[in-house]
């Protein structure tokens, strides 16, 4: 039997050698990504078929491991960072965010408590306080000045689930039966609303009708609430979408807030995509009334040059969050437990352990500066306006929903079949990828402009593709 290597780690010089090689690999990837097809040409099981059935018993060389990035990984990549990626919403990245992620991976700190990670904790709460101001949110959401505060989560779905759980906790503490609690979101709200409500134990989840712009109809909400009250149920939680997934429709936060206040409901705002745009003051009217909500989530990992995962969750009153989540077993008790200056983030989210996500966000905010982040967002919105104009001016298409930011939703006037064919032919081109969606049985194409490497000329090329393909329908 051979003896295992007593020091199997990469040596310092090997770590440097392969680390530099991987930076070079990624730098080339970023530079040349536009030469690849956006979508891979693989069938389910193709990638697995290239992998051995069992983990290696003997060490493999780093050369072999790195070369499999090209041999095994690349063939199965849908290139979210391709400049022709217009599908779903963007998945943010930037070279500086990758560097922040790299350092955070190496530090491998556990940010569950201030005492286990003072730097991670204080950089996180500082950066989230910065963002409160950068996004024009209420200053009372800053931990240093207000009763509120923010925490980084994996995803907007986690934030939404958490707000549902807090609302349920306080409702049941007040003597209400869980079975009577009702959660509301518009019929266009993201699926994470229903999922979060379901796993937080809500038996009643209402889908509120929307108006012509696909925003929540506040009168319909009032009617639903009255019906629920008449049935002996308790309206408990409501979500306002600040940018729905299908069309970036904006729910009327101020009106919803007055309904929520009247009935003592927890009001959550889901700005997963659109929140990043609030760094530009001219878009803040889209979330008029935001100072009235109890919680708010947005994803820097979508549109703020920060790689997944990085989702912010703010609450207007952190004591309600902490009261719902805090449990202090003896093994976690320490000399700073209960010290208000020493935030223990384990009390702010579901898991105990947490990674140093704030490092990459800190790198991004400092390296770009707010002015570059604003111009990044504004350029995407400008290109979307330009594309929308071309679509409107052309006689073959129609816009199906108001464009609020950098998402353009349109369809072929020929109908669903032509719209589907158009989307399929764009996606089969290899140079662009759009999402085909459906509302009320009407098929339409979503063009979401926001990838890090997308430039104006890419959007112009997309229009040429649309124009050319539409001719042959
Ligand atoms: N909410 C909205 C409006 C979204 O558009 C999305 C995803 O696109 C989500 C929530 C879910 O985000 P996450 O993947 O961070 O959970």
């Amino acid at each position: 039997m051979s003896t295992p290597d007593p020091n199997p780690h990469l040596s310092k010089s090997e770590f440097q050698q392969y680390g530099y090689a991987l930076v070079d690999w990624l730098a080339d990837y970023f530079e040349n990504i536009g030469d690849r097809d956006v979508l891979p040409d693989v069938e389910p099981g193709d990638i697995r078929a290239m992998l051995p059935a069992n983990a290696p018993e003997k060490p493999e060389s780093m050369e072999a491991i790195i070369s499999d990035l090209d041999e095994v990984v690349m063939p199965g990549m849908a290139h979210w960072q391709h400049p022709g990626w217009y599908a779903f919403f963007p998945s943010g990245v930037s070279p500086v965010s990758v560097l922040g992620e790299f350092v955070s991976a190496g530090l491998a700190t556990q940010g569950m408590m201030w005492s286990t990670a003072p730097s991670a904790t204080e950089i996180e709460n500082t950066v989230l306080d910065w963002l409160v101001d950068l996004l024009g949110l209420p200053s009372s959401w800053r931990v240093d000045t207000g009763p509120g505060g923010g925490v980084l989560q994996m995803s907007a779905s986690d934030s939404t689930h958490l707000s549902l759980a807090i609302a349920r906790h306080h409702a049941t503490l007040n003597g209400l039966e869980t079975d009577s609690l009702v959660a509301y979101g518009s019929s266009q709200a993201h699926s994470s609303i229903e999922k979060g409500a379901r796993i937080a134990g809500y038996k009643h989840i209402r889908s509120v009708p929307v108006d012509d712009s696909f925003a929540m109809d506040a009168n319909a909400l009032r009617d639903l609430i009255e019906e629920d009250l008449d049935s002996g149920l308790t309206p408990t939680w409501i979500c306002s979408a600040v940018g729905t997934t299908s069309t970036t429709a904006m729910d009327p936060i101020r009106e919803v807030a007055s309904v929520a206040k009247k009935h003592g409901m927890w009001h959550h705002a889901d700005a997963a995509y659109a929140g990043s745009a609030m760094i530009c003051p001219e878009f803040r009217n889209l979330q008029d009334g935001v100072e009235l909500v109890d919680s708010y989530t947005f994803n820097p990992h979508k549109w703020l040059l920060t790689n997944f995962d990085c989702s912010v969750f703010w609450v207007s009153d952190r004591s309600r969050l902490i009261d719902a989540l805090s449990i202090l077993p003896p093994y976690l008790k320490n000399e700073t437990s209960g010290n208000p200056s020493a935030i223990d983030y384990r009390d702010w989210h579901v898991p105990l352990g947490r990674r140093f996500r704030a490092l990459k966000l800190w790198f991004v905010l400092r390296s770009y500066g707010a002015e570059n982040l604003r111009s990044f967002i504004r350029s995407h919105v400008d290109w979307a306006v330009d594309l929308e104009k071309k679509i409107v001016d052309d006689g073959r298409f129609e816009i199906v929903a108001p464009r609020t930011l950098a998402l353009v939703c349109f369809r072929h006037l020929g109908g669903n079949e032509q719209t589907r064919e158009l989307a399929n032919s764009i996606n089969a081109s290899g140079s662009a990828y759009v999402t085909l969606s459906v509302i009320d049985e009407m098929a339409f194409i979503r063009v979401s402009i926001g990838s890090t490497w997308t430039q104006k000329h890419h959007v112009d090329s997309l229009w040429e593709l649309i124009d050319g393909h539409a001719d042959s329908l």
Side-chain angles (χ1 to χ4, degrees), residues 319-342:
S319 68
R320 297 177 78 194
L321 165 69
I322 296 167
D323 286 351
L325 297 191
S326 184
I327 297 173
L328 185 57
Y331 49 85
L332 294 179
K333 206 164 180 171
N334 61 73
E335 59 286 356
T336 57
S337 299
N339 177 341
S341 306

Side-chain angles (χ1 to χ4, degrees), residues 88-90 153-160 188-193 239 241-246 270-274 297-299 301-302 308-311 446:
F88 309 108
F89 282 133
Q153 306 259 354
M154 180 169 66
S155 74
S157 306
D158 287 326
S159 304
T160 296
Q188 289 298 309
H190 189 262
S191 56
S192 55
I193 308 306
C239 176
V242 181
T244 58
T245 309
S246 262
D270 174 7
Y273 158 76
T297 186
F298 100 101
N299 289 347
H301 70 229
K302 278 189 163 56
F308 193 87
D309 51 358
C310 188
S311 176
R446 291 171 77 263

